[in-house]
Amino acid sequence: MKHSSTASNPSDIIRPEILALKAYHVPPATGMVKLDAMENPYALPQALQNEISSLAADAPINRYPDPNAADLKAALRETLAIPDQMEVMLGNGSDEIIQIVAMATARPGAVVMSVEPAFVMFRMIATFANMQYTGVPLTADFALDLDAMLEAIVHHQPAVIFLAYPNNPTGNLFDEHAILKIIEATPGIVVVDEAYHAFADASVMDRLADYPNLLLMRTLSKLGLAGLRLGLLIGRPAWLTEFEKLRLPYNVNVLTQHVTQTVLRHMDVLLDQASQIKTERARMLAQLGALGALEVFPSDANFILFRVDNATDIFGKLKQQGILIKNLDRTHALLDNCLRVTVGTPGENTQFVTVLKTLLSE
Ligand code: PMP
């Protein structure tokens, strides 16, 4: 048998835009004060943990999960007050939903649009799906540049616009009126990504009925279930029927389905934790604001963006002292010297602010 034509080199086979990508980097965090990934820092109460233990023990893990996760969906509908006329699709995290939306809309030449800076997976997944990506810069105070967005919509005719509300990594809510203008102006769909909804007093849930091209994405990750991986897409059945065709049949596993349903019965626990995080956010904003040697940006999320004189240096020194945050320096012109810290427990936050204060006065 002749092997001379056998492909041995990835660059002969793999798409050039994939060869050019860098994999999404998740830094090691064992033993660190982990304030880099917008996780809820609190554990569940012991009684609920015990309930989950016995659920896990009894879970039929020899069987495939319910492909429609019907019971879980019903619980989510009730807990999240999803309008009856809207359909729900579940993803293995909202990351997977972004991917499904991209795959479904990836006609030749189709464009994904978002803002810059935005959640990096919008751009990455557009590339995975062989789509074009356009990011319209926010203004210097991280607001939507509505004129620029409307112009870009006319120019690029995007199939999909992703808007995180509140935005990551900036932490702010966009003007709702501007979002609605964008929804009205675009020929495609708009996915409003409310990953940080629990920490903001705003949602487009009530607008779904008014805008046929609007879809709403949520996740339970920031609320305290990041490890379970569960995201939701909410919207009109006509859209969701198409997206469902691309969803892998068993994408939400048995443990996630069972455990989430149980935790949802104790939603007050998660909302209480979110409320503690909001209280801590206010304390951190005040403390960081009082430091003087940095610029701190307002936040409606469970993280805070701030700017120092020497971000990479400060990031490295925090890490040396066991505190992991996110360095955004040089990821975008608007994020020059910016760092992002997730709101942790009161103890973690105090530790972070204390060490940062020392580093800034060195
Ligand atoms: N959207 C935004 C805006 C995010 O910041 C994140 C997580 N960083 C996600 C979606 C993805 O969340 P998950 O896949 O955990 O649901």
Side-chain angles (χ1 to χ4, degrees):
M1 212 167 139
K2 233 175 125 205
H3 287 284
S4 59
S5 62
T6 303
S8 54
N9 199 341
S11 63
D12 295 337
I13 297 295
I14 306 289
R15 288 155 42 202
E17 59 275 23
I18 304 303
L19 291 170
L21 273 181
K22 274 210 233 125
Y24 187 83
H25 177 61
V26 179
T30 312
M32 306 276 283
V33 174
K34 193 171 184 308
L35 303 176
D36 67 328
M38 284 78 102
E39 291 144 331
N40 173 343
Y42 300 108
L44 294 171
Q46 190 62 53
L48 188 47
Q49 285 187 11
N50 294 345
E51 203 175 330
I52 290 171
S53 301
S54 56
L55 261 182
D58 295 342
I61 57 170
N62 56 320
R63 302 290 176 195
Y64 285 109
D66 172 1
N68 301 312
D71 294 343
L72 173 56
K73 274 193 194 175
L76 285 163
R77 275 188 177 282
E78 196 182 321
T79 315
L80 305 183
I82 296 170
D84 288 345
Q85 68 275 30
M86 295 301 152
E87 195 46 81
V88 177
M89 180 180 75
L90 303 183
N92 191 297
S94 44
D95 283 347
E96 192 189 40
I97 291 175
I98 302 168
Q99 190 176 46
I100 289 173
V101 171
M103 284 193 294
T105 55
R107 294 171 159 207
V111 171
V112 172
M113 185 180 286
S114 188
V115 296
E116 288 295 324
F119 179 41
V120 293
M121 291 312 285
F122 299 150
R123 178 193 287 272
M124 285 191 77
I125 290 174
T127 305
F128 301 169
N130 216 355
M131 299 178 85
Q132 305 299 312
Y133 179 86
T134 301
V136 178
L138 297 172
T139 65
D141 59 355
F142 304 132
L144 280 176
D145 185 339
L146 184 57
D147 288 343
M149 285 295 286
L150 295 178
E151 209 172 291
I153 287 168
V154 171
H155 185 70
H156 295 284
Q157 299 285 299
V160 189
I161 300 176
F162 286 104
L163 292 174
Y165 182 67
N167 189 41
N168 173 19
T170 58
N172 57 311
L173 283 165
F174 297 133
D175 176 36
E176 191 192 15
H177 181 70
I179 294 180
L180 298 179
K181 286 267 183 237
I182 288 166
I183 297 169
E184 285 166 14
T186 187
I189 54 175
V190 177
V191 178
V192 174
D193 174 358
E194 295 187 355
Y196 300 97
H197 168 72
F199 315 100
D201 297 314
S203 174
V204 298
M205 186 82 87
D206 291 342
R207 302 287 186 175
L208 284 170
D210 301 332
Y211 294 90
N213 59 335
L214 171 62
L215 293 141
L216 168 56
M217 193 164 69
R218 291 268 181 96
T219 176
L220 299 189
S221 294
K222 321 296 168 181
L223 252 181
L225 304 182
L228 290 180
R229 311 298 299 131
L230 189 71
L232 301 80
L233 186 67
I234 304 161
R236 299 192 175 215
W239 292 115
L240 283 260
T241 305
E242 301 308 319
F243 295 137
E244 271 289 340
K245 296 176 187 171
L246 288 158
R247 186 180 63 79
L248 297 176
Y250 306 117
N251 65 329
V252 180
N253 71 70
V254 169
L255 293 173
T256 299
Q257 291 193 29
H258 289 216
V259 173
T260 305
Q261 276 180 74
T262 297
V263 178
L264 287 178
R265 282 199 287 277
H266 303 272
M267 189 65 173
D268 53 316
V269 170
L270 298 186
L271 294 178
D272 235 42
Q273 293 178 343
S275 154
Q276 287 180 62
I277 290 167
K278 281 160 72 177
T279 305
E280 274 299 296
R281 175 181 70 195
R283 184 173 76 95
M284 278 174 95
L285 282 169
Q287 290 184 341
L288 291 174
L291 288 185
L294 54 74
E295 184 182 2
V296 57
F297 298 98
S299 170
D300 288 290
N302 62 343
F303 58 87
I304 294 171
L305 184 75
F306 61 99
R307 176 175 283 131
V308 291
D309 288 339
N310 45 351
T312 299
D313 187 41
I314 295 282
F315 171 78
K317 287 180 171 157
L318 281 165
K319 202 163 146 187
Q320 274 170 17
Q321 304 218 29
I323 300 174
L324 186 63
I325 64 169
K326 178 85 174 175
N327 185 7
L328 294 162
D329 190 29
R330 271 168 274 177
T331 58
H332 189 270
L334 288 173
L335 296 176
D336 225 25
N337 268 320
C338 281
L339 298 168
R340 187 192 68 197
V341 61
T342 302
V343 179
T345 62
E348 289 171 336
N349 301 335
T350 299
Q351 193 182 341
F352 162 73
V353 174
T354 309
V355 173
L356 179 65
K357 191 174 174 179
T358 315
L359 293 176
L360 290 174
S361 61
E362 268 175 6

PDB file of all heavy atoms in Angstrom, residues 93-95 119 164 168 193 195-196 219 221-222 229, ligand 1:
ATOM      1  N   GLY A  93     -23.610  24.941  28.739  1.00  0.00           N
ATOM      2  CA  GLY A  93     -23.112  26.306  28.905  1.00  0.00           C
ATOM      3  C   GLY A  93     -23.644  27.166  27.773  1.00  0.00           C
ATOM      4  O   GLY A  93     -24.097  26.635  26.750  1.00  0.00           O
ATOM      5  N   SER A  94     -23.612  28.471  27.972  1.00  0.00           N
ATOM      6  CA  SER A  94     -24.072  29.317  26.862  1.00  0.00           C
ATOM      7  C   SER A  94     -23.052  29.358  25.736  1.00  0.00           C
ATOM      8  O   SER A  94     -23.388  29.656  24.592  1.00  0.00           O
ATOM      9  CB  SER A  94     -24.471  30.715  27.335  1.00  0.00           C
ATOM     10  OG  SER A  94     -23.549  31.241  28.232  1.00  0.00           O
ATOM     11  N   ASP A  95     -21.809  29.010  26.036  1.00  0.00           N
ATOM     12  CA  ASP A  95     -20.815  28.873  24.961  1.00  0.00           C
ATOM     13  C   ASP A  95     -21.354  27.985  23.832  1.00  0.00           C
ATOM     14  O   ASP A  95     -21.200  28.287  22.651  1.00  0.00           O
ATOM     15  CB  ASP A  95     -19.549  28.183  25.493  1.00  0.00           C
ATOM     16  CG  ASP A  95     -18.669  29.109  26.317  1.00  0.00           C
ATOM     17  OD1 ASP A  95     -18.891  30.331  26.287  1.00  0.00           O
ATOM     18  OD2 ASP A  95     -17.759  28.593  26.977  1.00  0.00           O
ATOM     19  N   PHE A 119     -17.163  39.775  24.862  1.00  0.00           N
ATOM     20  CA  PHE A 119     -16.813  38.408  25.246  1.00  0.00           C
ATOM     21  C   PHE A 119     -16.096  37.750  24.060  1.00  0.00           C
ATOM     22  O   PHE A 119     -16.635  37.718  22.945  1.00  0.00           O
ATOM     23  CB  PHE A 119     -18.109  37.668  25.599  1.00  0.00           C
ATOM     24  CG  PHE A 119     -17.925  36.232  25.995  1.00  0.00           C
ATOM     25  CD1 PHE A 119     -16.877  35.835  26.810  1.00  0.00           C
ATOM     26  CD2 PHE A 119     -18.849  35.280  25.573  1.00  0.00           C
ATOM     27  CE1 PHE A 119     -16.732  34.504  27.178  1.00  0.00           C
ATOM     28  CE2 PHE A 119     -18.711  33.953  25.937  1.00  0.00           C
ATOM     29  CZ  PHE A 119     -17.648  33.565  26.738  1.00  0.00           C
ATOM     30  N   ALA A 164     -23.683  41.436  24.838  1.00  0.00           N
ATOM     31  CA  ALA A 164     -23.753  40.994  26.238  1.00  0.00           C
ATOM     32  C   ALA A 164     -24.256  42.167  27.083  1.00  0.00           C
ATOM     33  O   ALA A 164     -23.774  43.289  26.961  1.00  0.00           O
ATOM     34  CB  ALA A 164     -22.388  40.531  26.718  1.00  0.00           C
ATOM     35  N   ASN A 168     -19.243  41.958  29.045  1.00  0.00           N
ATOM     36  CA  ASN A 168     -17.962  41.441  29.539  1.00  0.00           C
ATOM     37  C   ASN A 168     -16.921  41.797  28.486  1.00  0.00           C
ATOM     38  O   ASN A 168     -17.171  41.511  27.314  1.00  0.00           O
ATOM     39  CB  ASN A 168     -18.058  39.916  29.696  1.00  0.00           C
ATOM     40  CG  ASN A 168     -16.733  39.270  30.030  1.00  0.00           C
ATOM     41  OD1 ASN A 168     -15.814  39.927  30.474  1.00  0.00           O
ATOM     42  ND2 ASN A 168     -16.636  37.963  29.806  1.00  0.00           N
ATOM     43  N   ASP A 193     -27.152  38.626  25.344  1.00  0.00           N
ATOM     44  CA  ASP A 193     -26.532  37.647  26.234  1.00  0.00           C
ATOM     45  C   ASP A 193     -26.564  38.193  27.665  1.00  0.00           C
ATOM     46  O   ASP A 193     -25.778  39.069  28.014  1.00  0.00           O
ATOM     47  CB  ASP A 193     -25.097  37.414  25.733  1.00  0.00           C
ATOM     48  CG  ASP A 193     -24.275  36.522  26.656  1.00  0.00           C
ATOM     49  OD1 ASP A 193     -24.791  36.100  27.713  1.00  0.00           O
ATOM     50  OD2 ASP A 193     -23.101  36.270  26.312  1.00  0.00           O
ATOM     51  N   ALA A 195     -25.703  36.913  30.544  1.00  0.00           N
ATOM     52  CA  ALA A 195     -24.936  36.033  31.435  1.00  0.00           C
ATOM     53  C   ALA A 195     -24.855  36.608  32.853  1.00  0.00           C
ATOM     54  O   ALA A 195     -24.845  35.863  33.830  1.00  0.00           O
ATOM     55  CB  ALA A 195     -23.529  35.819  30.877  1.00  0.00           C
ATOM     56  N   TYR A 196     -24.819  37.921  32.961  1.00  0.00           N
ATOM     57  CA  TYR A 196     -24.638  38.572  34.273  1.00  0.00           C
ATOM     58  C   TYR A 196     -25.931  39.141  34.820  1.00  0.00           C
ATOM     59  O   TYR A 196     -25.921  40.024  35.675  1.00  0.00           O
ATOM     60  CB  TYR A 196     -23.532  39.640  34.151  1.00  0.00           C
ATOM     61  CG  TYR A 196     -22.252  38.994  33.733  1.00  0.00           C
ATOM     62  CD1 TYR A 196     -21.856  38.989  32.387  1.00  0.00           C
ATOM     63  CD2 TYR A 196     -21.491  38.280  34.642  1.00  0.00           C
ATOM     64  CE1 TYR A 196     -20.723  38.318  31.979  1.00  0.00           C
ATOM     65  CE2 TYR A 196     -20.355  37.598  34.246  1.00  0.00           C
ATOM     66  CZ  TYR A 196     -19.975  37.622  32.920  1.00  0.00           C
ATOM     67  OH  TYR A 196     -18.863  36.936  32.523  1.00  0.00           O
ATOM     68  N   THR A 219     -27.364  32.090  31.383  1.00  0.00           N
ATOM     69  CA  THR A 219     -26.560  30.969  31.866  1.00  0.00           C
ATOM     70  C   THR A 219     -26.713  30.864  33.379  1.00  0.00           C
ATOM     71  O   THR A 219     -26.977  31.872  34.028  1.00  0.00           O
ATOM     72  CB  THR A 219     -25.070  31.145  31.510  1.00  0.00           C
ATOM     73  OG1 THR A 219     -24.319  30.073  32.093  1.00  0.00           O
ATOM     74  CG2 THR A 219     -24.489  32.449  32.044  1.00  0.00           C
ATOM     75  N   SER A 221     -24.135  29.775  35.043  1.00  0.00           N
ATOM     76  CA  SER A 221     -22.729  29.731  35.470  1.00  0.00           C
ATOM     77  C   SER A 221     -22.394  30.787  36.510  1.00  0.00           C
ATOM     78  O   SER A 221     -21.757  30.498  37.524  1.00  0.00           O
ATOM     79  CB  SER A 221     -21.804  29.915  34.274  1.00  0.00           C
ATOM     80  OG  SER A 221     -21.914  28.822  33.395  1.00  0.00           O
ATOM     81  N   LYS A 222     -22.814  32.016  36.264  1.00  0.00           N
ATOM     82  CA  LYS A 222     -22.386  33.103  37.158  1.00  0.00           C
ATOM     83  C   LYS A 222     -23.202  33.085  38.455  1.00  0.00           C
ATOM     84  O   LYS A 222     -22.815  33.653  39.454  1.00  0.00           O
ATOM     85  CB  LYS A 222     -22.524  34.458  36.464  1.00  0.00           C
ATOM     86  CG  LYS A 222     -22.133  34.456  35.007  1.00  0.00           C
ATOM     87  CD  LYS A 222     -20.669  34.135  34.802  1.00  0.00           C
ATOM     88  CE  LYS A 222     -20.407  33.867  33.330  1.00  0.00           C
ATOM     89  NZ  LYS A 222     -19.035  33.525  33.044  1.00  0.00           N
ATOM     90  N   ARG A 229     -22.474  23.447  33.860  1.00  0.00           N
ATOM     91  CA  ARG A 229     -22.566  23.833  32.444  1.00  0.00           C
ATOM     92  C   ARG A 229     -24.017  23.807  31.960  1.00  0.00           C
ATOM     93  O   ARG A 229     -24.506  22.819  31.402  1.00  0.00           O
ATOM     94  CB  ARG A 229     -21.717  22.899  31.534  1.00  0.00           C
ATOM     95  CG  ARG A 229     -20.305  22.667  31.967  1.00  0.00           C
ATOM     96  CD  ARG A 229     -19.505  23.961  31.991  1.00  0.00           C
ATOM     97  NE  ARG A 229     -19.416  24.592  30.680  1.00  0.00           N
ATOM     98  CZ  ARG A 229     -19.685  25.890  30.461  1.00  0.00           C
ATOM     99  NH1 ARG A 229     -20.078  26.691  31.437  1.00  0.00           N
ATOM    100  NH2 ARG A 229     -19.570  26.380  29.255  1.00  0.00           N
TER     101      ARG A 229
HETATM  102  N1  PMP B   1     -21.481  35.173  27.817  1.00  0.00           N
HETATM  103  C1  PMP B   1     -20.700  36.012  28.478  1.00  0.00           C
HETATM  104  C2  PMP B   1     -20.874  37.475  28.283  1.00  0.00           C
HETATM  105  C3  PMP B   1     -19.699  35.521  29.335  1.00  0.00           C
HETATM  106  O1  PMP B   1     -18.897  36.363  29.967  1.00  0.00           O
HETATM  107  C4  PMP B   1     -19.569  34.118  29.498  1.00  0.00           C
HETATM  108  C5  PMP B   1     -18.555  33.496  30.426  1.00  0.00           C
HETATM  109  N2  PMP B   1     -17.386  34.158  30.617  1.00  0.00           N
HETATM  110  C6  PMP B   1     -20.406  33.287  28.771  1.00  0.00           C
HETATM  111  C7  PMP B   1     -21.367  33.841  27.951  1.00  0.00           C
HETATM  112  C8  PMP B   1     -20.294  31.791  28.813  1.00  0.00           C
HETATM  113  O2  PMP B   1     -20.816  31.268  29.931  1.00  0.00           O
HETATM  114  P1  PMP B   1     -21.161  29.710  30.059  1.00  0.00           P
HETATM  115  O3  PMP B   1     -20.659  29.009  28.840  1.00  0.00           O
HETATM  116  O4  PMP B   1     -20.475  29.290  31.304  1.00  0.00           O
HETATM  117  O5  PMP B   1     -22.648  29.654  30.160  1.00  0.00           O
END
